[in-house]
């Protein structure tokens, strides 16, 4: 039985280039907030967990000594390398591996980030536990990801839309889930924030090359969303525009 990693590789190998130029991924105030929350001095070695097309790694590289960027999908790493070359960034290493098995020593890093990646991980608690292993005590991690509301009905709604759009989607966790997972792994959670990210549905489906039947089913959910979902996700009358909820969690690695 697959743990989902093959599906992630298959999905993103074909569409990797679209994520290097995607406005939703390439820009946003969360990139500046990520650096602000890490508060690097410039001497740190950092790790980017699930770098995708490399936007977080490239942004962070200007503020630390070195970033090691890891991703499950080689084609995504190729796009990240291209982005770094385009920006003239040379202090990033690229590694094709699973977040659950990092090729680094214990306490090797001073900081960690993960941006818009964890909802694809096969096992989020295992990935965060592995992040804890490679971070020194006192190191900070900043996780940025799409999150679900605390309401079970709204949680089910947005994850259904996400899975229809992209069958490799795992789950948008709640902010409470993130606190629990990080604390269990040995972190002290200090910051938890959420903000809306406006989505153009046509661009969103095109970027993932969603199968027509899946797109129509997801669009129907958006069009026929109940009032609370329509309000929470800012869904317009035709389901053409809506908002995902992006969560930011900052935590510090506690001594073992």
């Amino acid at each position: 039985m697959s743990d989902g990693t093959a599906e992630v590789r298959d999905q993103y190998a074909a569409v990797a280039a679209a994520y290097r130029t995607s406005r939703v991924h390439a820009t946003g105030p969360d990139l500046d907030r990520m650096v602000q929350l890490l508060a690097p001095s410039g001497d740190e070695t950092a790790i980017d967990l699930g770098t995708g097309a490399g936007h977080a790694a490239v942004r962070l590289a200007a503020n630390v000594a070195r970033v090691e960027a890891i991703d499950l999908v080689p084609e995504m790493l190729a796009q990240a390398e291209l982005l770094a070359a385009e920006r003239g960034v040379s202090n990033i290493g690229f590694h094709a591996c699973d977040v659950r098995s990092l090729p680094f020593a214990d306490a090797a890093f001073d900081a960690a980030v993960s941006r818009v990646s964890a909802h694809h991980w096969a096992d989020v608690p295992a990935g965060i536990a592995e992040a804890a292993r490679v971070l020194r005590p006192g190191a900070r991690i900043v996780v940025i990801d799409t999150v679900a509301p605390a309401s079970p009905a709204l949680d089910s709604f947005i994850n259904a839309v996400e899975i229809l759009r992209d069958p490799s989607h795992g789950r948008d966790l709640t902010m409470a889930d993130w606190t629990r997972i990080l604390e269990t792994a040995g972190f002290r959670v200090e910051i938890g924030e959420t903000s809306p990210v406006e989505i153009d549905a046509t661009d969103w489906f095109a970027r993932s090359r969603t199968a027509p039947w899946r797109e129509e089913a997801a669009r129907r959910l958006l069009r026929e969303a109940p009032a609370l979902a329509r309000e929470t996700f800012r869904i317009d009358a035709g389901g053409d525009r809506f908002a995902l909820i992006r969560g930011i969690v900052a935590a510090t690695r506690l001594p073992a």
Side-chain angles (χ1 to χ4, degrees):
M1 182 176 179
S2 172
D3 64 0
T5 55
E7 288 82 354
V8 171
R9 287 192 190 97
D10 290 345
Q11 172 67 23
Y12 285 92
V15 300
Y19 284 79
R20 193 179 90 257
T21 57
S22 162
R23 176 190 58 81
V24 172
H25 295 79
T27 63
D30 62 301
L31 285 166
D32 287 338
R33 184 61 171 148
M34 174 189 75
V35 175
Q36 182 184 41
L37 289 170
L38 285 177
S41 66
D43 297 328
E44 292 86 357
T45 298
I47 185 168
D48 181 7
L49 302 162
T51 195
H55 297 292
V58 168
R59 178 69 177 85
L60 185 56
N63 298 272
V64 299
R66 185 165 178 82
V67 180
E68 303 298 345
I70 71 104
D71 202 274
L72 190 66
V73 183
E75 290 82 359
M76 275 293 198
L77 286 171
Q79 292 299 317
E81 290 192 63
L82 179 58
L83 179 69
E86 289 173 346
R87 304 282 178 86
V89 175
S90 59
N91 60 331
I92 305 176
F94 300 93
H95 310 268
C97 60
D98 192 309
V99 292
R100 297 172 294 178
S101 182
L102 299 173
F104 305 107
D106 293 358
F109 294 96
D110 307 300
V113 297
S114 178
R115 181 175 183 260
V116 199
S117 168
H119 59 272
H120 288 291
W121 295 2
D123 186 334
V124 174
I128 294 299
E130 182 69 345
R133 180 187 68 79
V134 301
L135 285 172
R136 63 166 179 79
R140 176 164 272 199
I141 185 171
V142 174
V143 177
I144 303 169
D145 202 25
T146 311
V147 295
S151 159
L154 294 174
D155 180 323
S156 296
F157 174 84
I158 198 58
N159 276 293
V161 173
E162 290 259 36
I163 290 168
L164 282 168
R165 181 247 184 176
D166 174 2
S168 75
H169 174 81
R171 186 161 195 87
D172 293 339
L173 299 172
T174 66
M175 293 295 280
D177 290 331
W178 274 113
T179 296
R180 183 183 68 256
I181 289 167
L182 285 159
E183 288 180 346
T184 299
F187 291 93
R188 179 179 65 246
V189 175
E190 295 154 339
I191 301 290
E193 306 169 346
T194 61
S195 60
V197 177
E198 298 296 328
I199 299 294
D200 177 278
T202 298
D203 174 72
W204 196 57
F205 290 116
R207 187 165 60 248
S208 61
R209 299 186 188 176
T210 306
W213 73 266
R214 286 180 169 275
E215 178 176 348
E216 177 50 36
R219 283 183 178 274
R220 183 171 180 177
L221 279 179
L222 291 167
R223 287 194 304 268
E224 299 179 7
L228 184 58
R230 187 169 294 280
E231 178 183 356
T232 301
F233 299 108
R234 303 186 182 188
I235 306 168
D236 71 7
D240 297 315
R241 297 194 68 83
F242 64 100
L244 293 171
I245 303 170
R246 183 164 290 177
I248 301 179
V249 183
T252 297
R253 177 73 169 100
L254 297 172

